[in-house]
Amino acid sequence: MGKRRAAAHSDGEDGSQPASKRSRTTESDEDDQTSNHRATRDKKKATQDDVLVLDDEDEDNGVADTQTDEAAEKKFEEENEERIRERLMNKSKVQGGIAEMGIIESIEMHQFMCHKYLTFSLGPQINFIIGHNGSGKSAVLSALTVALGGKATSTGRGNGLKAFIREGQSVAEVTVMLKNQGEEAYRPKDYGRSIVITRRFTKEGASSYKIKSREGKLVSTKREELQAICDHMNIQVDNPMNILTQGTQFLSASTQTDKYKFFLKGTQLSQLSEEYQTCMENISQTHKVLKRKAEVIPDLEEALSEARARWEEAQKAVAQKTKVDDLRKELAWAHVASKQEELTKQLNEVAHIKHRVEKCEDQVRQAEASRAACDEKVATLEEELASFGDVNDLITRREELAGRIKVHKAKLLELKSDEKTILESKAGVDASITHYKQRIQDEQARLETRSKEKRDRATGKLAEANASLADKEQKLKVMTEERARLYAEADAAKKEGERLQIDRNECRDRVVECDQQIRRCAEMEKSKLAQFGNQMDQVLAQIRQRKWHGRPPIGPFGLYVKVKDSEKWGPLLRVVIGNAMGNFAITDGRDRQALNEILKRAGNHNTQIIISEVDLFDFSAGEPPQNYLTILRALEVSDDYILRQLVNNLHIESTLLAANRAEADEMLVSLGSGGVAMAADLYRVVRFPEGGGQSSVLNNLRTNDSRQNLFRNANAEAERRQCRRWQGQRDEFEARLSGLSQRIADLESTYNRCRKLANDLEPQISQHNKAIRGIRTEINNIQLELNDDLPVDIQSLHDELKVQENEKAYIMEQYEQLIKEREKVQQDQRPLVAESDQLRIQIAAHGTQRGGVSDRLNEAVAERMHADNSILHFTSKADAERGKLAAAEEVAKTLEEEFQQAWSAKASKYCDPVANPRKVDVVQRAVDAAKAALLEREKRQGATIEEIAGDMHRKEASVATAKMDIRALNSLNNALKKSVKQRLARWHEFRRHIALRCKVYFAYHLSNRGYFGKVLFDHVNGTLNLRVQTDDQAATQTQAKEKDPRSLSGGEKSFSTICLLLSLWESIGCPIRCLDTDEFDVFMDAVNRRISMKMMIETANASRGKQYVLITPQDMNNVNPGSTVRVHRMSDPERGQGTLAFR
């Protein structure tokens, strides 16, 4: 049975707290004021080796009632009875509200019990269904129970659904419409304001549900959905207190124990009791299992003691083991460092993906702006399109030159920046030199001439030394420039030689291609099968000689295929279907290995073998109209089996042929259903059925491709001319190859000569540098001698002047070197620019050729054809990149968490941090070396130290884990037991409150007739008894005596039953309350019946959100229908009634 809805708040309670999905009883406002005393226990801290003792107290797992404290019960009733009575009186003065959900709006029956068809609508509060006996009133409650998923036996009208099918019919159907409004409506988006539940069942026992919205939309057919609806709306269809039918034995035929069970089941206390009983049984069983597990701990502790003894014996190798431990600590932190590097790498990857996301977003914006210009661009380029040669080689060379020119330009810009910096530095130094010279002249003008003759001699020597230095520096400059020139010439020769090497290799490849074509032409002269593969004559001869499991292999396909217009469509079809012309087909898979061996022996390693039965199917349904040219219509295929293989594998029946890309696109657009077309200008065009399309360029065949010989209607003379043409091309390439080889040899000679001359200049440059250094030393000595005769101030000015002049000399040397380098770069740049300009002119001349225009046109067409899908594509791509970013960030987060929580934390837990650990492999080698030193001792011990330590740690962990697990499970078990006990105490509180409310409400309802009575609950013995004192007893007896229900008259008994039922109804939360009063009404006199009806109507009017359905055979003339009361009158028994009349 599915989940049952918990009982909602009782009538008159403030607020409408949402009901729990778990079955429970109702708590009134008085319950909220009752304190809940919970016992607490002190927690004792256990040590690692504490003996675990399970909690054996309170082994009583049942939920039987303990002996009731009469004084406590009396005190409880005194404290709460008056409050409940006061709330009851206040509630009777308040008009109840209409439920927003869970009540019945209408019910419909087809072939159900005595009704052929019956339908009517129910009011939201009080509904009376009246009619003579046999009119089918009780069938309404049975239909309601069956439609809401109740058991057939609970209706008391049959043992199965088949009993409810109208006599002579094979199928019956009942439909109930439930109200579904308000804030707590069930799936309002799916069902709307009403839920329609239809149950259909047959004589064969089949039963099905349809759960729909008011508009007829089918939402579900599963019983689980119906259970969920009833659970959400708190409809308890099998609760005996919700729907009381004629078959319900309520009062007259029930014992005190049956009444008590009826009370518990109706208030759902029995369901909670059974669940608590099951919980306590499971807790007891768990207690016994834990007790058995605790007996294993001594054995584990004994094994741990033995392991510790072995460990103490292994301590002789502690010193070496300590070293190993230190290395392991370093190894642990080396792993941490490695993980940190991995984390850094992942963070860089995240940053890279973020950049890609930004790039994708830019592409989205560009795609949104590109659509407007596509049509104009395509129209312009299509006008320029023509068939021209390929300029890819020129473009490639120009791109190569552009890259080198770009490098030189960057170098020139760098040199220009350096020149600007040098000139600025030179200007500053010149200003400083002028300043110091002026100051020296001023100082010397103030001084008298001192030691003039000595200074003249020194000045003369200084002039001679400077002249010698200038001469040496000039010669050194000449030699340096010559060496630079020689090196530049050698480099130029080397670069040119490398370029010519590429040309020579290309010429060699062309010669090899020509040789292959010449050989193929010779083979074609000998046999027409040569175009399909190697030694095809021998292959076909061996196929004919061999016995096969299926039909002999058929092939090659090209033998059976001809092109009708080979001049027009041959080049295209060589590319599209050329690969399939060498294929073979077999009908039995066992022949594949034998055929494959024959082909491989002949050198045909890549020939495809197709396995297919002979199936001459009709493929005309896949062909376009006759005015469209397809590959199939451009071919002549002489074998039907081969034709079907081409249709299956290449779809030749549906692939269109067109002269150019634009015509292919127009054909597909006019076709309207999408498809594929091949254009003679080597384009593949696709149009999708849902709109949009694409086109791509087909790669042309190389000259040495064997497919070049396919689909040529050539005779022997044409083949010889073709062979002579290839021979002429070979001679041309051979002559060019010879010239390139000679040129390369000359460049190699130039390179070697320049390098030798440059190397010969190196000793002379070294000697001049040495002589210049000597002269500069002599100049410095003379200058020092002159400076000694100058005053100190003048000497310092000369020193500063000398520093500035040296700085200027250094700057000028740098400037000269920069000028040389710039001239060299410009010299290298000029031939590159000239060649690039020449290539640009050549490419511009071919600007209208097919290559460039075709590429740009292809791009423009792709932009136009994908314009509608571009934004979506790039948006999807951006979303995908964002997904990758999220995944990468998640990985980075995981790595960071692993690094922080796993690697770093575990390493920190294992040992203190090791500063600057070495690489993992280095530390690992050190660990291995240290372990080798322990090998002999470990052999003597029979195990390694790690194994002994690991064994001890495992046993320690086992003992600790066992103790911890038992302690944790024992604590959990005790907590569960405590929780169940608390719930049991609360359960008793619920029962006490519900019983007291029942007593008060019962006495109140009896007082409406002038009766007195009470409900006697014996929770210990599980009995419920009624005591009623009637008005005639009060009038005739001086001492009133309460009657047992069995001694009451029929009318008194029925009235008491109604009072008890209304009292119990106050304790359930189901929004629907149904009662068949046939068994009660027949015993009531007019007074009892009038008071009972008035009491039920007043109770229903005061109820909040409850719907009452009351069935009676009596007339309702004494009941005034109003806004809250609706009376439904059944027709007299005719078994054919339709829609009821309402009053």
Side-chain angles (χ1 to χ4, degrees):
M1 180 177 176
K3 295 193 298 181
R4 300 185 62 179
R5 176 75 174 179
H9 56 77
S10 62
D11 295 339
E13 288 185 14
D14 296 334
S16 57
Q17 181 179 0
S20 169
K21 294 297 181 182
R22 176 179 172 83
S23 298
R24 58 179 176 81
T25 55
T26 307
E27 295 183 62
S28 64
D29 292 345
E30 296 80 57
D31 296 339
D32 298 335
Q33 300 173 5
T34 303
S35 60
N36 182 19
H37 303 286
R38 298 182 179 180
T40 60
R41 298 179 181 178
D42 295 333
K43 297 181 179 179
K44 300 180 180 180
K45 184 176 181 180
T47 61
Q48 184 70 20
D49 298 327
D50 286 341
V51 178
L52 300 176
V53 180
L54 299 176
D55 184 7
D56 294 331
E57 66 176 6
D58 192 10
E59 289 298 323
D60 184 12
N61 295 335
V63 293
D65 293 302
T66 58
Q67 186 64 34
T68 305
D69 188 344
E70 294 183 1
E73 289 289 336
K74 184 176 182 181
K75 181 179 179 181
F76 173 78
E77 292 185 2
E78 290 175 354
E79 291 176 351
N80 295 279
E81 183 175 0
E82 188 60 34
R83 185 183 299 109
I84 295 174
R85 185 174 288 107
E86 180 181 354
R87 293 181 61 82
L88 172 60
M89 299 305 295
N90 293 333
K91 189 183 78 168
S92 64
K93 302 175 184 179
V94 179
Q95 182 71 26
I98 297 175
E100 292 183 331
M101 72 168 185
I103 63 175
I104 302 171
E105 293 183 332
S106 67
I107 185 167
E108 182 179 323
M109 292 170 277
H110 293 267
Q111 308 297 346
F112 186 81
M113 295 183 69
C114 63
H115 299 291
K116 180 178 181 181
Y117 173 75
L118 178 64
T119 178
F120 54 84
S121 299
L122 296 179
Q125 288 184 284
I126 307 170
N127 296 270
F128 285 97
I129 300 177
I130 64 176
H132 294 96
N133 290 333
S135 61
K137 303 184 301 300
S138 300
V140 176
L141 298 188
S142 298
L144 178 61
T145 301
V146 169
L148 295 180
K151 299 178 181 177
T153 55
S154 65
T155 64
R157 307 300 295 270
N159 296 326
L161 292 175
K162 293 186 289 186
F164 294 111
I165 300 177
R166 187 166 174 261
E167 187 68 26
Q169 302 298 320
S170 61
V171 62
E173 184 177 278
V174 290
T175 300
V176 173
M177 182 183 294
L178 299 178
K179 190 175 183 180
N180 187 46
Q181 302 176 15
E183 295 180 355
E184 295 186 3
Y186 181 79
R187 295 172 59 183
K189 293 183 178 179
D190 295 329
Y191 290 102
R193 300 174 63 85
S194 298
I195 299 177
V196 180
I197 301 169
T198 301
R199 187 174 187 182
R200 181 183 177 91
F201 47 92
T202 65
K203 282 288 188 181
E204 290 76 17
S207 176
S208 63
Y209 290 92
K210 288 185 179 180
I211 306 175
K212 301 179 287 187
S213 64
R214 178 189 287 269
E215 292 75 17
K217 174 187 175 183
L218 181 63
V219 179
S220 177
T221 59
K222 296 183 179 179
R223 182 182 178 89
E224 290 78 6
E225 179 70 6
L226 174 60
Q227 292 174 346
I229 294 172
C230 293
D231 183 60
H232 181 84
M233 295 182 174
N234 202 15
I235 299 174
Q236 303 156 11
V237 67
D238 286 331
N239 190 331
M241 288 175 58
N242 286 340
I243 302 177
L244 282 87
T245 62
Q246 291 181 5
T248 304
Q249 300 297 324
F250 180 60
L251 181 62
S252 61
S254 60
T255 64
Q256 296 178 2
T257 302
D258 293 335
K259 292 186 184 72
Y260 188 80
K261 291 180 180 178
F262 183 85
F263 161 73
L264 291 180
K265 186 175 181 182
T267 57
Q268 292 190 282
L269 289 172
S270 61
Q271 181 178 346
L272 285 175
S273 175
E274 293 169 359
E275 292 177 358
Y276 293 156
Q277 178 70 28
T278 303
C279 292
M280 291 303 292
E281 290 175 357
N282 292 336
I283 291 172
S284 176
Q285 186 65 28
T286 305
H287 172 82
K288 295 177 183 178
V289 173
L290 291 176
K291 196 169 184 179
R292 289 196 300 269
K293 287 184 177 294
E295 297 173 356
V296 184
I297 292 180
D299 296 336
L300 296 176
E301 291 177 338
E302 182 178 356
L304 176 60
S305 299
E306 295 177 357
R308 283 176 176 164
R310 289 188 66 196
W311 167 250
E312 292 173 357
E313 291 295 328
Q315 292 303 305
K316 297 178 182 180
V318 168
Q320 191 67 24
K321 182 65 174 63
T322 301
K323 180 179 178 181
V324 174
D325 291 340
D326 292 340
L327 289 172
R328 283 178 174 169
K329 293 176 182 178
E330 185 180 1
L331 182 61
W333 286 99
H335 282 294
V336 172
S338 176
K339 199 67 179 178
Q340 187 173 15
E341 291 179 2
E342 183 180 355
L343 175 60
T344 302
K345 182 179 179 181
Q346 185 63 30
L347 291 175
N348 293 334
E349 178 65 16
V350 169
H352 181 61
I353 295 176
K354 285 182 178 179
H355 175 70
R356 292 207 305 267
V357 170
E358 294 174 356
K359 183 177 179 181
C360 289
E361 291 174 350
D362 291 338
Q363 288 176 330
V364 170
R365 289 189 289 270
Q366 292 173 5
E368 291 174 347
S370 65
R371 183 65 179 90
C374 288
D375 290 335
E376 182 179 355
K377 186 175 180 180
V378 168
T380 302
L381 291 175
E382 283 182 342
E383 292 177 357
E384 299 178 6
L385 184 63
S387 176
F388 289 96
D390 190 2
V391 294
N392 289 335
D393 293 338
L394 296 176
I395 294 174
T396 302
R397 176 58 181 166
R398 187 165 182 262
E399 289 176 350
E400 177 185 351
L401 292 175
R404 295 169 63 183
I405 291 172
K406 185 177 179 181
V407 172
H408 288 166
K409 285 183 178 179
K411 183 66 175 176
L412 290 174
L413 289 175
E414 181 181 356
L415 292 175
K416 186 176 182 181
S417 177
D418 293 341
E419 180 183 6
K420 181 179 179 181
T421 303
I422 290 173
L423 292 176
E424 290 175 353
S425 300
K426 178 178 177 297
V429 171
D430 289 338
S432 298
I433 291 174
T434 303
H435 173 70
Y436 286 121
K437 285 182 177 180
Q438 184 63 38
R439 290 187 60 186
I440 290 172
Q441 290 176 2
D442 295 340
E443 279 296 313
Q444 290 177 344
R446 291 187 300 104
L447 298 175
E448 295 292 339
T449 304
R450 299 178 180 176
S451 305
K452 185 171 182 236
E453 182 179 355
K454 181 179 180 181
R455 291 180 60 82
D456 291 340
R457 288 197 302 271
T459 301
K461 292 181 180 180
L462 182 61
E464 292 177 358
N466 284 329
S468 177
L469 177 61
D471 181 61
K472 293 292 185 181
E473 287 179 343
Q474 180 62 29
K475 292 181 179 179
L476 178 62
K477 177 180 179 182
V478 172
M479 286 188 290
T480 303
E481 292 176 351
E482 179 63 17
R483 181 184 62 179
R485 186 189 66 76
L486 291 173
Y487 278 135
E489 186 177 353
D491 290 341
K494 181 179 180 182
K495 292 179 181 179
E496 181 65 17
E498 292 174 350
R499 186 182 67 80
L500 293 178
Q501 284 279 7
I502 296 174
D503 294 342
R504 183 172 65 177
N505 293 335
E506 184 177 355
C507 286
R508 287 175 177 171
D509 294 339
R510 294 293 183 270
V511 170
V512 172
E513 290 178 4
C514 292
D515 289 339
Q516 292 175 350
Q517 292 294 338
I518 291 170
R519 288 195 299 271
R520 186 170 291 109
C521 289
E523 293 174 358
M524 289 289 293
E525 290 181 5
K526 297 178 181 178
S527 172
K528 66 176 182 179
L529 295 176
Q531 57 186 319
F532 307 122
N534 297 323
Q535 302 179 13
M536 276 296 167
D537 292 332
Q538 299 179 15
V539 170
L540 294 179
Q542 294 180 29
I543 289 175
R544 287 190 295 269
Q545 295 172 2
R546 191 180 183 90
K547 292 184 179 180
W548 305 93
H549 294 90
R551 292 181 58 181
I554 299 178
F557 286 3
L559 279 176
Y560 308 93
V561 178
K562 292 182 180 180
V563 179
K564 297 178 181 178
D565 189 352
S566 59
E567 294 296 329
K568 183 175 181 180
W569 303 115
L572 174 62
L573 294 180
R574 291 185 200 110
V575 177
V576 177
I577 65 172
N579 280 329
M581 294 300 101
N583 294 351
F584 281 78
I586 56 177
T587 58
D588 195 316
R590 293 173 293 178
D591 295 331
R592 179 184 180 86
Q593 184 176 358
L595 177 59
N596 196 30
E597 290 177 356
I598 293 174
L599 291 170
K600 286 184 176 180
R601 283 198 299 268
N604 300 292
H605 299 281
N606 298 322
T607 301
Q608 183 180 1
I609 300 174
I610 298 174
I611 304 173
S612 176
E613 291 290 340
V614 178
D615 181 11
L616 302 181
F617 56 86
D618 182 11
F619 52 82
S620 59
E623 291 187 281
Q626 289 296 326
N627 57 329
Y628 291 91
L629 178 64
T630 63
I631 294 180
L632 173 60
R633 294 167 184 170
L635 298 178
E636 291 181 1
V637 184
S638 58
D639 188 281
D640 291 337
Y641 178 60
I642 298 298
L643 174 60
R644 266 64 178 186
Q645 300 309 312
L646 294 176
V647 169
N648 277 335
N649 293 281
L650 300 178
H651 308 288
I652 62 173
E653 83 288 1
S654 60
T655 303
L656 305 182
L657 293 179
N660 51 56
R661 188 211 56 77
E663 182 180 338
D665 189 48
E666 291 176 0
M667 290 172 64
L668 291 174
V669 171
S670 63
L671 193 59
S673 59
V676 180
M678 301 294 176
D681 53 355
L682 297 183
Y683 275 96
R684 183 179 185 270
V685 183
V686 179
R687 274 286 178 179
F688 304 115
E690 60 274 12
Q694 65 182 17
S695 64
S696 57
V697 178
L698 299 173
N699 294 325
N700 202 351
L701 303 179
R702 295 176 61 87
T703 56
N704 63 337
D705 196 310
S706 59
R707 289 175 288 175
Q708 290 283 12
N709 296 311
L710 297 173
F711 308 137
R712 294 182 182 276
N713 296 327
N715 51 27
E717 181 60 29
E719 292 295 337
R720 285 192 290 272
R721 286 198 302 270
Q722 182 71 7
C723 184
R724 288 195 296 270
R725 184 176 65 83
W726 286 114
Q727 184 64 45
Q729 290 186 6
R730 184 191 183 283
D731 295 340
E732 180 183 348
F733 285 123
E734 188 68 34
R736 184 179 176 188
L737 179 63
S738 176
L740 288 173
S741 298
Q742 181 61 41
R743 177 60 179 156
I744 291 172
D746 295 341
L747 290 173
E748 288 178 353
S749 175
T750 301
Y751 174 78
N752 294 329
R753 177 179 57 78
C754 292
R755 293 289 297 185
K756 182 177 182 305
L757 293 175
N759 292 334
D760 292 342
L761 289 175
E762 290 293 342
Q764 300 178 31
I765 293 173
S766 178
Q767 292 176 2
H768 278 72
N769 282 327
K770 183 176 180 181
I772 289 171
R773 287 195 295 270
I775 295 172
R776 286 178 176 171
T777 301
E778 182 181 357
I779 291 172
N780 289 335
N781 292 333
I782 296 171
Q783 189 66 47
L784 290 174
E785 182 180 350
L786 291 173
N787 291 339
D788 289 340
D789 296 334
L790 295 175
V792 177
D793 291 340
I794 296 177
Q795 180 60 40
S796 63
L797 291 174
H798 276 289
D799 292 339
E800 291 294 333
L801 178 61
K802 185 64 176 178
V803 170
Q804 294 299 322
E805 288 176 346
N806 290 337
E807 179 67 17
K808 180 179 180 181
Y810 175 74
I811 291 173
M812 292 307 297
E813 183 178 354
Q814 285 186 324
Y815 182 73
E816 292 175 358
Q817 185 65 28
L818 185 145
I819 295 301
K820 292 177 182 179
E821 187 173 356
R822 184 176 64 185
E823 290 177 354
K824 182 178 180 301
V825 172
Q826 290 175 344
Q827 184 178 1
D828 294 338
Q829 181 80 323
R830 290 188 192 99
L832 296 178
V833 172
E835 186 178 357
S836 177
D837 291 340
Q838 183 63 30
L839 290 174
R840 179 178 56 80
I841 295 171
Q842 294 177 8
I843 294 173
H846 290 82
T848 57
Q849 293 181 359
R850 178 188 176 280
V853 176
S854 178
D855 291 341
R856 287 183 286 128
L857 176 60
N858 183 47
E859 180 181 355
V861 171
E863 290 177 3
R864 185 182 68 178
M865 296 178 67
H866 292 86
D868 295 333
N869 300 324
S870 301
I871 297 174
L872 178 61
H873 167 72
F874 289 120
T875 302
S876 301
K877 186 176 180 181
D879 292 339
E881 291 297 336
R882 292 189 191 98
K884 292 179 182 178
L885 177 61
E889 288 177 342
E890 184 65 25
V891 172
K893 181 180 179 182
T894 302
L895 290 175
E896 186 173 4
E897 290 177 354
E898 290 179 355
F899 174 73
Q900 296 292 341
Q901 301 176 8
W903 292 91
S904 182
K906 288 181 179 179
S908 299
K909 185 177 180 181
Y910 178 69
C911 64
D912 294 332
V914 177
N916 300 322
R918 294 170 288 177
K919 295 293 184 180
V920 174
D921 54 348
V922 176
V923 180
Q924 186 63 52
R925 287 196 296 270
V927 171
D928 295 339
K931 286 181 179 179
L934 295 173
L935 184 60
E936 293 300 325
R937 289 178 181 170
E938 292 169 352
K939 288 182 179 179
R940 292 196 298 271
Q941 292 173 352
T944 65
I945 296 176
E946 288 79 3
E947 291 173 348
I948 296 173
D951 183 60
M952 183 184 71
H953 293 325
R954 284 191 298 272
K955 288 182 170 58
E956 287 177 346
S958 298
V959 173
T961 301
K963 289 182 178 181
M964 182 175 62
D965 291 346
I966 294 176
R967 187 181 297 111
L969 292 173
N970 185 48
S971 174
L972 175 61
N973 206 43
N974 292 335
L976 291 173
K977 182 186 291 185
K978 180 179 178 181
S979 175
V980 173
K981 288 181 178 179
Q982 291 175 349
R983 291 175 180 269
L984 283 172
R986 194 63 173 169
W987 183 87
H988 287 100
E989 290 291 327
F990 292 161
R991 186 181 62 184
R992 174 188 290 179
H993 278 279
I994 295 171
L996 179 57
R997 285 160 59 90
C998 182
K999 292 177 181 180
V1000 175
Y1001 276 78
F1002 181 71
Y1004 170 76
H1005 291 311
L1006 285 177
S1007 66
N1008 290 322
R1009 183 68 178 86
Y1011 292 175
F1012 301 93
K1014 55 186 175 180
V1015 182
L1016 301 178
F1017 286 94
D1018 187 349
H1019 299 304
V1020 176
N1021 296 319
T1023 62
L1024 185 153
N1025 196 13
L1026 303 180
R1027 287 291 183 266
V1028 180
Q1029 180 181 355
T1030 61
D1031 52 356
D1032 59 338
Q1033 287 179 300
T1036 59
Q1037 299 180 12
T1038 56
Q1039 184 176 1
K1041 182 179 180 182
E1042 297 171 342
K1043 290 184 178 181
D1044 185 90
R1046 288 174 293 184
S1047 64
L1048 296 173
S1049 66
E1052 293 170 347
K1053 185 183 297 183
S1054 296
F1055 181 76
S1056 301
T1057 300
I1058 294 298
C1059 293
L1060 178 60
L1061 178 60
L1062 293 177
S1063 302
L1064 293 176
W1065 269 353
E1066 297 296 330
S1067 301
I1068 65 174
C1070 180
I1072 303 172
R1073 297 173 182 182
C1074 303
L1075 173 63
D1076 189 342
T1077 63
D1078 279 7
E1079 293 187 359
F1080 309 137
D1081 284 350
V1082 296
F1083 299 107
M1084 286 188 184
D1085 55 18
V1087 176
N1088 280 329
R1089 187 171 183 277
R1090 177 179 54 79
I1091 296 175
S1092 298
M1093 290 301 175
K1094 180 181 178 182
M1095 183 171 57
M1096 285 191 288
I1097 292 174
E1098 290 176 350
T1099 302
N1101 285 332
S1103 298
R1104 178 186 300 172
K1106 301 296 185 293
Q1107 183 185 42
Y1108 289 79
V1109 180
L1110 305 175
I1111 298 177
T1112 176
Q1114 303 297 330
D1115 192 7
M1116 297 300 296
N1117 292 329
N1118 58 343
V1119 175
N1120 295 323
S1123 60
T1124 62
V1125 179
R1126 183 179 293 188
V1127 177
H1128 311 272
R1129 185 180 303 277
M1130 302 288 290
S1131 301
D1132 291 337
E1134 294 178 359
R1135 303 295 186 264
Q1137 59 267 50
T1139 304
L1140 289 178
F1142 301 105
R1143 195 175 63 134

